[in-house]
Amino acid sequence: MKRRDLIKTMLATVPALHLTQAIAQNNLNGLAGDGLEPMAKGPFNPDWESLKQYQTPDWFRDAKFGIWAHWGPQCQPEFGDWYAREMYYEGSRTYKFHVEKYGHPSKFGFKDVINEWKADKFNPDQLLELYKRAGAKYFMALANHHDNFDNYNSKYQPWNSVNLGPKKDLIGAWAKATKKQGLRFGVSVHAAHAWSWVEGSQHSDKTGALAGVPYDGKITKKDGKGTFWEGYDPQDLYAQNHALSEGSENINGIHKQWNWGNGVTPPSEKYCNTFYNRTVDLVNKYDPDLVYFDDTALPLWPASNVGLRFAAHYYNRSIKKHGKLEAVINGKILDEEQRKTMVWDIERGQSNNIEPLPWQTDTCIGSWHYDRRIYEQKRYKSAKTVIHTLIDVVSKNGNLMLSVPLRGDGSIDSEEQKVVESIADWMAINSECIFATRPWKVFGEGPAMEKAAPLSAQGFNEGKGLPFTVNDIRFTTKGDVLYAIPLGKPTENKLLIKSLASGNALYPKEIAKVILVGKGSTLNFTRTSEGLLVDLPENVREEFAFALKVLPA
């Protein structure tokens, strides 16, 4: 039996198959089938060992702060994250909202939500000007989500924003606006999980007048005559021409199957190939500097090698274009070896150590997809929380990527505008302690370190530790300059920095000056065995974070 046939047989006969790395490694040499986009040639091959040649480019290490527009058709209802999945679960909040707003999902499914999405207030130039002012050095746009809809002129996914919905090339517009501002451009790719993520669309109500009437997850092209989607096959969107995974009736059941195990129906060869082609087409068309994957390790790993193939293509393509590797891939839940192959991303959380390799936190000021309730209840993260997170992450060799949710129409609301403007105000004064810095010997001192919450899965330790105070100090460096950054408003006119005590091996040099960053004020200080005691001016009493520049003699 041929190796390809053997793999097909395994997929067909073992429903709960969780392919091991060894099995997937045997599938590295083009066995995914014909019709694949060409893979760029270069030093990287599609295997983990080869990808360990990766070195994070300096632009990313210096950038420190990026902004993300997590925006797609699921923002149109303005009812929060994972709308396209949860609308198909009878009794859920999203289901109830959907039925009331649009109608029953057997008659008005997610495909119909796409048709409602027009993005008529989308102004990327205006948004990118604001984001640059807020200090962002890179911007990332959502290329697709688990809903499987491509927000660009996609060669391999007819359900895209040029053909349907807004009828605009959104990624193209984002890319143009980003490059106009001189920022690095990124795209986030989530569609690998559409295979099982919308399996709820194959179900039906168990109670009520429409009990047993199937939702729209299994309809096909032939059902579209006379509709807005005539000529399009909903299966290209829903990808539900397969048996249901174990536990598909559970709204939260997919979480344990995120790494393609625990009863998930294995993705087909065609599905994996199409994902690969879509993603290669995306980077070939729009030339992003960064690609973020919302996956364990790489997309579809270990059920398929297409994520490895993409990484090799993307890295080799970057070298060919720039003469050196300038590309960044973000991946989640990476082991120590996989962290050498890309930039580790922690979702809604932070490492508790200085990481030896550059990494990234991604978080959002609200819900990942726009939720009008957060605006109405004024529950966005404050600029203070964002800045404190940024400082903490940067002190540990990381970057922060902050999502600012867009409304369905493509605008940001007034409360979000206030948050971003406040970040811009802080950056205008203090940015030198953030950008192009590197970690010190320790990342900080203070009580929050002692009560830090551990990571959980992708991250998710955000906000679970002690709140920061002025006694929580973080450190960054730039050459011989050390920045000490207290995370709170001082209640007294003096600040003690214990890590800079005299005789301390962390800083054996003499200290010549302490300067208040952004103000230029030279501050008086006393150095004792207890620490560096700095006299603070009154004007820092209103700051939620400020920075001191410590210069050696």
Side-chain angles (χ1 to χ4, degrees), residues 21 48 193 258-259 292-302 307-308 329-335 338-339 341-344:
Q21 178 167 330
W48 290 111
H193 288 283
W258 210 245
N259 61 347
Y292 167 106
F293 287 125
D294 192 5
D295 298 274
T296 302
L298 284 169
L300 295 158
W301 178 263
L308 291 167
I329 292 175
N330 292 141
K332 298 180 179 179
I333 317 183
L334 307 179
D335 63 31
Q338 290 168 342
R339 290 179 200 176
T341 68
M342 66 188 93
V343 174
W344 179 33

Side-chain angles (χ1 to χ4, degrees), residues 9 50 54-55 60 83 167 185 203 252 271 285 318 344 353 357 362 365 367 386 407 417 423 442 444 448 468 475:
T9 300
S50 179
Y54 181 73
Q55 296 288 323
F60 185 81
Y83 189 94
K167 298 190 176 178
F185 180 59
H203 290 295
N252 295 315
Y271 181 82
K285 271 194 174 89
S318 178
W344 179 33
N353 303 289
L357 297 170
D362 72 274
I365 67 170
S367 171
V386 172
R407 298 186 61 191
Q417 181 90 19
I423 295 169
V442 294
F468 292 125
F475 301 109

Side-chain angles (χ1 to χ4, degrees), residues 78-81 367 369-375 379-380 405:
E78 300 190 348
F79 200 70
D81 202 23
S367 171
H369 286 97
Y370 189 87
D371 191 331
R372 173 161 283 274
R373 295 165 295 181
I374 296 176
Y375 163 69
R379 290 191 287 112
Y380 288 122

